[in-house]
Amino acid sequence: MMSLRRLLLLTASTATHSFAFRNIRWLWKGAVSEIFTNAVLGRRAIPPLPSPYSNDSNGYNDDDDTLTSPPVAIVTGATGGLGVVLCEKLQKQGYSVIVAARDPIRGKALVDQLHDDSSLNNGRRKHDARFVRYDANEPSTAKDVALALDGRPCAILINNAGVMKTNISDTMKVNLIGPSILTLTLLPSLRKHPNPVVVNVGSSAHLRAEADIDPKTLEDDTYDNDLAVYASSKLGLMHFSQVLRETLWTQQGDSLSTTSPSWRPIVIDAHPGIVWTPLLRNYYGSAAKVVEKLKLSHFIFKSP
């Protein structure tokens, strides 16, 4: 597997702009447009996820209407904010959900909730959910996620885990290095599915990021007060997505693939907009209570 420093260099861009330009770009294209969308245009519905109910889904068989092997969806950072909503939506659509998160208590509680909410889907049997401890700051836990698949294909991987307003090294490791290592670790399982989907959850903060990523950030324990490294980590994640698109499409039908040469992976950069999640509430600190009291959290922000 490539070194962390090499991964950082691969996900860096050569283009650069001034600090003022980057912040103005983010303010206009990012913050202002998102607030306008939330407050004026209204909240957009979550786009439909790929349906597991098809003969080529490696899971369900529409001909006899029975569940042969539920397609598996993995969600990281699954126990809070967007993660919970994603797990619930995937479960309702018939996916077998792997709840990948750091906290075993919250993770198992979510699994119990998903089991309680589980119902027949279009006449099909109940799907399952399971918890696996995953910490994006601990690369070794990526192997635990792979083992939780029990050899099954991975239909959907959503790299949702992230941190903000913490030290620089943790920000880069959790937001960029962690999801990159997890995706590469799961690549053999993704290749077992004919049309896998990888979703990297991003942020408009990438608009204010410096183009080049300094590998020394992995050893920097100072605080990311201005969220500059958070922005860089999200830009780096978008570049990693592009690396995946370019390399996976040129490696179809190789020895790792158990599918046909027509293997079609989909890699998506998904920016959800300004959402009132625990991550954002923690960022605002004590001011979060004021925002909620004034009901600005419902007016300006989306609710997961």
Side-chain angles (χ1 to χ4, degrees), residues 45-300:
I46 298 176
L49 296 167
S51 173
Y53 299 109
S54 62
N55 291 328
D56 62 352
S57 67
N58 245 13
Y60 291 98
N61 188 322
D62 278 342
D63 293 334
D64 58 9
D65 202 33
T66 60
L67 176 61
T68 57
S69 177
V72 182
I74 299 173
V75 181
T76 69
T79 56
L82 292 173
V84 173
V85 176
L86 288 167
C87 288
E88 292 173 345
K89 187 173 181 64
L90 287 163
Q91 180 254 4
K92 289 179 180 178
Q93 285 197 245
Y95 286 89
S96 174
V97 180
I98 291 182
V99 175
R102 292 178 298 177
D103 190 336
I105 296 177
R106 294 172 61 191
K108 292 175 182 177
L110 177 57
V111 168
D112 291 340
Q113 174 190 324
L114 294 175
H115 285 158
D116 291 341
D117 294 343
S118 180
S119 59
L120 295 178
N121 291 275
N122 297 331
R124 295 166 172 84
R125 290 184 290 170
K126 293 183 179 180
H127 33 271
D128 66 334
R130 64 180 299 183
F131 167 78
V132 58
R133 184 183 176 278
Y134 168 71
D135 188 340
N137 206 3
E138 299 178 16
S140 61
T141 59
K143 295 180 180 179
D144 298 328
V145 178
L147 291 174
L149 286 165
D150 295 326
R152 295 174 294 174
C154 180
I156 298 178
L157 168 61
I158 302 180
N159 286 309
N160 172 66
V163 295
M164 184 170 63
K165 200 179 179 182
T166 184
N167 69 64
I168 287 176
S169 61
D170 284 349
T171 299
M172 191 61 69
K173 290 176 183 177
V174 173
N175 293 351
L176 173 57
I177 302 300
S180 300
I181 289 178
L182 178 62
T183 304
L184 295 175
T185 301
L186 294 176
L187 189 54
S189 298
L190 290 165
R191 287 185 178 277
K192 292 180 180 179
H193 194 281
N195 304 109
V197 178
V198 176
V199 180
N200 289 322
V201 177
S203 167
S204 66
H206 79 272
L207 293 169
R208 58 184 295 268
E210 290 190 57
D212 296 322
I213 300 175
D214 187 351
K216 292 181 180 179
T217 57
L218 295 175
E219 303 165 358
D220 192 340
D221 290 331
T222 57
Y223 214 63
D224 184 28
N225 287 311
D226 60 357
L227 301 184
V229 176
Y230 173 80
S232 294
S233 70
K234 290 301 183 180
L235 177 61
L237 189 60
M238 292 180 65
H239 292 158
F240 176 67
S241 296
Q242 187 59 30
V243 170
L244 286 178
R245 294 186 192 103
E246 293 178 355
T247 57
L248 294 183
W249 278 87
T250 60
Q251 296 177 6
Q252 296 177 23
D254 65 14
S255 59
L256 287 177
S257 178
T258 60
T259 61
S260 68
S262 62
W263 186 59
R264 292 291 184 270
I266 300 173
V267 182
I268 300 171
D269 291 298
H271 172 44
I274 301 180
V275 186
W276 196 241
T277 62
L279 186 69
L280 199 58
R281 288 197 292 270
N282 291 337
Y283 171 72
Y284 280 107
S286 58
K289 294 182 179 179
V290 177
V291 172
E292 291 179 337
K293 187 175 182 179
L294 296 175
K295 297 185 179 180
L296 292 177
S297 58
H298 297 285
F299 179 69
I300 297 177

Side-chain angles (χ1 to χ4, degrees), residues 12-22 25 207-213 235 239:
S13 170
T14 56
T16 184
H17 296 286
S18 69
F19 176 81
F21 174 86
R22 295 196 309 271
R25 178 178 61 182
L207 293 169
R208 58 184 295 268
E210 290 190 57
D212 296 322
I213 300 175
L235 177 61
H239 292 158

